[in-house]
Amino acid sequence: MVQEYLSPVRVYKYPFEMVMAAYEKRFPTCEMIPVFVGCDIMSENEHSDKSRHVIERRCKLNVDAPRLLKRVVGFDYIYFVQKNDLNRKERTLHISAYNESFSTRVLVNEYCQYSVHPENPNWTCFEQSAKMEIKSFFGFESSVEKIAMKQYAANIKKGKEIIEYYLNELQKDGITYIPTWAEENPHLVKSVSTSTKASVPSTSTLKDDQDGESDRSRCSSFSSACDDNIIVPSERIVGGIGDEKLEEEYIEHNLGILKPLEESKLIQLRKWLSDTHNGKIPRDEHILRFLRSRDFHMEKVKEVLCQSLSWRKQHQIDRILDTWTVPQLLKDYYLGGWHHHDTDGRPLYVLKLGQMDTKGLLKAAGEEQILKHVLYIMEEGLMKCKQASLKRNKPISSWTCIVDLEGLNMRHLWRPGVQALRRIIEVIETNYPETMARLLIVRSPRVFPVLWTLISRFIDEKTSSKFMMYTGTDYLGAGGLIDYIPRDLIPDFLGGTCKCSVPDGEPVPKSLYRTEWEKGDGVALWEDTIYKSANVFRGGPHEVVVDVPDKDSVITWDFDSVKGDVSFCLYFTKQVIGPIEDSDIQCVMTAPPAASGTANPTQVIGKHMTLGKDYNVVESAIVCREGESVQGSHIARSAGSYILQWKFHAPPSQTSTVQDVLYQVTHNAKSKVIYFHELLASQNFRGSMTSLESCQSAFSSLSHVTGSSITS
């Protein structure tokens, strides 16, 4: 087990000599560090001109470990050896430390440095790194690692507080300035460079300098955050300190408050990216998103981040906002848009998914265009986050989304549409982690659990935990939208007073469908491996058996009538259904040979079977006209065989002349359907219900969905 730590650059806005005086007050003991019991000086050496002072101490630490562990291992205290090398002439302090206790089992090495800020001689920088390797520890390796990292992180966090405390104590004692070594020994130096000579500031001047520089630093940091979307030049980072280093204040103002070990992972990953990508590294916000999405697991992050950077380069994603124009089709029929901000100042996106003609959009625009539009929106979101950060002077790296599902029906479960949605979700999850602060799903209908079952497996658990789901009008009360969106910014179509620019939905005209969408009688080029097609003749139904082994499974279907009209019905029987003999077929008309890839009607309900006795209707017949689509579902309340049946449908004849009868006898009236069906296992469906019920909503009522289907 090897753990490494790299700190950001901590900046004290005090001269080096003042910081050193505060640092020395920590010895031999410090009440503010309970773990630090005391120390003994092992060796000490100071140059005659006092330009250099080297001291070595043996430090006694009372580690906060379980009493049982201490008793088993047999220790009360841990001893470390610390060497301080103070160079007053160069104005640096180098600190190295290693463990004396259990050194054959655990190796700990720490390195720290205090130095003058490269751009301001009145400021002091502090850097820290450490490495711990646990070889063996009586079977407690994992526990020791956790205890050590917890203790170390706590000490790091306390370090700045202690130095600043003693700096304040010095000023209370009237010590506001300590001369540099060069100023005290002018006869030993020919000239004092500005890098080693500090000006003499008064207390008020020092404070004004700190406040002014803090504001300028903060403004500079946020201004630089608005350059590019992802890839940035390394010079953007704090000037003069080093391309791979970040200032602590920069992290706080631009990325938020991070734990010490999280800061360390960020710095380590930036350094690795800089070494492997010729200095071209992603924005720190982008790196941090990937770290958070993988719980700061370095190896996992390296793999997915590098793949994502290659994907961005291959598809020129960084230029999409400048080079791609949203087609008018998507402007008119993709029902989404940006709408002010949420209560935390994050950008707010509104999507009227329930009213969107997803099937028509897919047929008219194609999956690639829709994906590109979604990527365009994601890049817009990143840009708006930067703008919000600058406006509010705080880090904002994600946005909130409202998804209105009013109008959602089984038409949205069209199989190619669901597959396209899955692929889009995979792309977004892979390349835009941690960009969604929360997803507010409102007015969700009873068909939503079916859609959730189909797509939830492609949504990261961390992302799905940010979903807030509301049924009916429960989003209007306490715990609803008002908790996340300012009252005066709630969209008007959701009962608010703020005008929302996202229009209501309309079907995409079929005249806009792509000509390459259809093949032959209308089978989509990329559907033919998913959908089956069948001829349906007058008097000869086409029937498909779905065996349901467990009750409460969900049968879904999706079909188009590409030629003629058909009626559709769903039956249930407990009998074993199999191939039937020709003599048992109810239709005696001989069907002509089917076209390639199209099946002749298959019949499974024999003429010996009686409706109401041997099988029953569970979904009443509906009529699907030529060119229409039907999507539906049924919750199987009993195990057994379910039969999907399509019949030729002809309107009632207005005349009954001899010629009409002869025509019907001598001509084979034929319809044609393309269809797809799927059985969702009960445990999968209920699993999705459980996850939904655990969210803040009234979704538990969805578990009592009736068995009727929904069609469109």
Side-chain angles (χ1 to χ4, degrees), residues 121-302:
N122 289 322
W123 289 0
T124 304
C125 294
F126 172 75
E127 300 173 64
Q128 184 175 14
S129 65
K131 185 176 182 180
M132 179 180 68
E133 181 180 0
I134 301 178
K135 298 179 179 180
S136 65
F137 204 83
F138 312 101
F140 293 97
E141 291 81 10
S142 179
S143 298
V144 169
E145 180 185 35
K146 291 178 181 178
I147 292 170
M149 297 310 294
K150 179 182 178 182
Q151 195 81 64
Y152 195 72
N155 291 341
I156 293 167
K157 190 175 181 181
K158 199 78 174 174
K160 184 178 182 180
E161 180 183 334
I162 294 170
I163 294 294
E164 290 181 340
Y165 170 79
Y166 285 123
L167 283 167
N168 289 330
E169 290 294 306
L170 287 170
Q171 292 183 72
K172 287 179 182 179
D173 294 338
I175 303 174
T176 59
Y177 174 73
I178 298 175
T180 67
W181 179 89
E183 290 171 335
E184 289 183 331
N185 300 276
H187 58 286
L188 297 179
V189 290
K190 293 182 179 180
S191 63
V192 181
S193 65
T194 57
S195 64
T196 61
K197 180 178 180 180
S199 59
V200 183
S202 65
T203 305
S204 59
T205 304
L206 184 59
K207 184 179 186 303
D208 292 341
D209 185 40
Q210 293 165 4
D211 294 341
E213 287 294 339
S214 177
D215 292 339
R216 288 193 291 274
S217 174
R218 186 178 307 174
C219 180
S220 174
S221 296
F222 275 110
S223 297
S224 68
C226 294
D227 296 338
D228 307 303
N229 265 6
I230 298 299
I231 304 297
V232 297
S234 57
E235 302 89 78
R236 175 188 60 75
I237 308 306
V238 184
I241 290 182
D243 293 343
E244 77 281 3
K245 300 175 183 178
L246 295 178
E247 279 194 11
E248 188 178 58
E249 186 176 355
Y250 164 84
I251 292 177
E252 182 178 340
H253 289 154
N254 290 271
L255 305 177
I257 304 298
L258 300 180
K259 297 177 182 178
L261 297 182
E262 293 174 346
E263 292 176 335
S264 172
K265 297 294 185 183
L266 172 63
I267 294 168
Q268 289 180 58
L269 186 55
R270 288 187 78 260
K271 186 177 185 305
W272 180 82
L273 287 169
S274 180
D275 293 341
T276 56
H277 288 71
N278 298 321
K280 296 181 179 179
I281 58 176
R283 295 188 58 82
D284 299 318
E285 299 91 328
H286 194 65
I287 299 174
L288 188 57
R289 288 190 187 100
F290 277 86
L291 282 166
R292 283 173 169 157
S293 70
R294 298 299 187 275
D295 295 320
F296 289 85
H297 191 292
M298 285 286 288
E299 294 308 314
K300 292 180 180 178
V301 175
K302 286 179 181 179

Side-chain angles (χ1 to χ4, degrees), residues 546-557:
V546 179
D547 291 320
V548 178
D550 303 308
K551 70 173 185 176
D552 293 332
S553 299
V554 180
I555 307 169
T556 67
W557 55 84

Side-chain angles (χ1 to χ4, degrees), residues 269-499:
L269 186 55
R270 288 187 78 260
K271 186 177 185 305
W272 180 82
L273 287 169
S274 180
D275 293 341
T276 56
H277 288 71
N278 298 321
K280 296 181 179 179
I281 58 176
R283 295 188 58 82
D284 299 318
E285 299 91 328
H286 194 65
I287 299 174
L288 188 57
R289 288 190 187 100
F290 277 86
L291 282 166
R292 283 173 169 157
S293 70
R294 298 299 187 275
D295 295 320
F296 289 85
H297 191 292
M298 285 286 288
E299 294 308 314
K300 292 180 180 178
V301 175
K302 286 179 181 179
E303 181 180 356
V304 295
L305 180 54
C306 286
Q307 290 175 354
S308 179
L309 293 176
S310 297
W311 171 82
R312 294 186 68 87
K313 182 178 180 180
Q314 179 183 355
H315 298 284
Q316 294 291 292
I317 302 299
D318 289 323
R319 301 176 57 196
I320 193 171
L321 292 179
D322 299 322
T323 60
W324 192 68
T325 303
V326 180
Q328 191 62 44
L329 170 70
L330 293 174
K331 290 181 180 179
D332 294 339
Y333 297 102
Y334 189 93
L335 308 180
W338 295 99
H339 178 82
H340 302 288
H341 56 82
D342 68 5
T343 52
D344 296 316
R346 298 187 186 94
L348 178 63
Y349 191 82
V350 174
L351 180 65
K352 293 184 178 180
L353 181 61
Q355 297 182 35
M356 194 185 303
D357 181 9
T358 53
K359 185 172 183 178
L361 268 178
L362 200 56
K363 286 191 172 185
E367 182 181 338
E368 287 301 314
Q369 286 288 304
I370 294 176
L371 173 59
K372 201 162 190 178
H373 185 53
V374 173
L375 296 177
Y376 185 91
I377 293 170
M378 298 300 293
E379 293 297 310
E380 274 189 326
L382 297 177
M383 179 183 67
K384 288 182 177 293
C385 285
K386 297 174 203 167
Q387 295 170 348
S389 297
L390 181 63
K391 180 179 179 181
R392 298 181 179 275
N393 201 25
K394 69 175 185 179
I396 294 176
S397 60
S398 58
W399 55 88
T400 294
C401 183
I402 296 178
V403 178
D404 179 23
L405 295 183
E406 184 178 63
L408 187 79
N409 54 45
M410 294 305 293
R411 181 178 176 83
H412 291 82
L413 300 187
W414 181 53
R415 185 65 179 185
V418 172
Q419 288 194 324
L421 180 59
R422 285 176 174 176
R423 286 189 283 266
I424 291 173
I425 288 174
E426 285 185 278
V427 171
I428 300 305
E429 282 282 295
T430 302
N431 298 287
Y432 296 91
E434 296 296 311
T435 53
M436 188 67 64
R438 61 178 65 95
L439 187 73
L440 306 173
I441 301 176
V442 298
R443 302 198 285 192
S444 42
R446 63 191 181 94
V447 70
F448 179 66
V450 180
L451 177 61
W452 179 255
T453 299
L454 295 174
I455 66 173
S456 59
R457 71 192 73 172
F458 297 93
I459 300 177
D460 180 76
E461 183 178 348
K462 212 173 222 184
T463 302
S464 62
S465 68
K466 300 173 184 176
F467 288 14
M468 308 295 291
M469 307 183 187
Y470 304 91
T471 57
T473 58
D474 62 348
Y475 62 88
L476 296 174
L481 297 183
I482 192 66
D483 285 8
Y484 307 105
I485 303 172
R487 186 181 296 275
D488 59 339
L489 295 181
I490 294 178
D492 51 359
F493 69 91
L494 293 177
T497 59
C498 188
K499 179 69 175 176

